[in-house]
Amino acid sequence: SDGIKALAMSGDTLASGPEDKTIKLWSLASRECLGTLTGHRDSVLSVAVSGDTSASGSRDDTIKLWSLTSREFLGTVTGHSASVRSLAVSGNTLASGSGDKTIKLWSLTTRACLATLAGHSDGIKALAMSGDTLASGPEDKTIKLWSLASRECLGTLTGHRDSVLSVAVSGDTSASGSRDDTIKLWSLTSREFLGTVTGHSASVRSLAVSGNTLASGSGDKTIKLWSLTTRACLATLAGHSDGIKAL
């Protein structure tokens, strides 16, 4: 009965996180709801899935873990002192970004905190992983790139005129969406600025990438598909009656 804040997919399963404190699991094949996961004391702001594990971050400052197949509750991960606004996962490593201005890395097996990454001057709105690289997008208008192996900051990408709301990575390309209505592209390895993608008339709240195609969701109620190679708009998808918060 509330708006959807986050989506994540693994195999045939889609996890959705709305503002009603629950997570719903859906079958992509049958389009049916497989179950509802409860336990958070406040709105769910982020979800991530890896293998058989679903993770959810909440305004209650915690992360909760479940089994996708059995829907069994696996435990609560604590450590942040503010809302867990973003999650990203690669293999057995879960990254969480919080309003407390830090990123934490966790083991999905032991639920232990592996590292705390600090350096942003504002809360973390978005995270994305590719190989050994983690990209973080906060409200301080920058994007930071981190090495998962060394836990060191590899560089800071600047250029947005307002808060970064979304990040995505594909191969050697990092994309960021901002409240300044634009998408900016960089090379992950060289940190070279590749260009600005314009076309939305409101904040770019969400990004998703598959191969050479980037999808962007905006407060202007549209989704746009872009070529990462040419930066050309391939299509505009319209039909929503409100802004797009998750892709």
Side-chain angles (χ1 to χ4, degrees):
S1 63
D2 247 317
I4 310 300
K5 281 282 190 179
L7 296 172
M9 281 194 263
S10 178
D12 179 56
T13 305
L14 170 70
S16 60
E19 295 182 275
D20 65 5
K21 308 177 190 178
T22 70
I23 299 95
K24 287 190 182 291
L25 302 179
W26 308 84
S27 166
L28 295 176
S30 69
R31 318 289 199 253
E32 294 179 353
C33 182
L34 303 174
T36 301
L37 312 176
T38 61
H40 281 297
R41 303 185 311 277
D42 209 329
S43 302
V44 174
L45 303 178
S46 51
V47 291
V49 289
S50 178
D52 187 50
T53 304
S54 172
S56 56
S58 169
R59 195 168 273 127
D60 66 15
D61 306 350
T62 72
I63 301 163
K64 292 188 181 292
L65 305 176
W66 284 270
S67 163
L68 284 177
T69 50
S70 68
R71 267 82 78 193
E72 178 189 0
F73 176 60
L74 303 177
T76 301
V77 176
T78 60
H80 283 297
S81 58
S83 301
V84 182
R85 300 175 176 178
S86 52
L87 294 172
V89 67
S90 179
N92 189 51
T93 302
L94 176 71
S96 58
S98 170
D100 64 15
K101 308 178 188 177
T102 70
I103 300 157
K104 289 183 182 290
L105 303 180
W106 312 86
S107 164
L108 283 176
T109 306
T110 65
R111 300 197 291 279
C113 182
L114 305 174
T116 298
L117 310 179
H120 283 297
S121 60
D122 217 327
I124 316 298
K125 281 277 193 180
L127 295 172
M129 284 191 204
S130 177
D132 179 56
T133 305
L134 171 71
S136 57
E139 293 182 276
D140 64 12
K141 308 178 189 177
T142 70
I143 300 94
K144 285 188 184 292
L145 302 179
W146 310 82
S147 165
L148 294 175
S150 69
R151 321 288 203 243
E152 294 179 353
C153 181
L154 302 173
T156 301
L157 311 177
T158 62
H160 281 297
R161 302 185 313 276
D162 209 331
S163 303
V164 175
L165 303 178
S166 51
V167 290
V169 289
S170 176
D172 186 51
T173 303
S174 172
S176 56
S178 169
R179 195 169 273 127
D180 66 14
D181 307 350
T182 72
I183 301 162
K184 292 188 181 291
L185 305 177
W186 284 270
S187 162
L188 284 177
T189 50
S190 69
R191 267 82 78 193
E192 177 189 1
F193 176 60
L194 303 177
T196 301
V197 177
T198 60
H200 284 297
S201 59
S203 301
V204 182
R205 301 175 178 177
S206 52
L207 294 172
V209 66
S210 179
N212 188 52
T213 303
L214 177 71
S216 58
S218 170
D220 65 13
K221 307 177 188 177
T222 70
I223 300 162
K224 289 183 182 286
L225 304 181
W226 312 86
S227 164
L228 283 176
T229 306
T230 65
R231 300 196 292 277
C233 183
L234 305 175
T236 299
L237 312 178
H240 285 291
S241 59
D242 213 332
I244 315 299
K245 289 206 172 182
L247 288 175

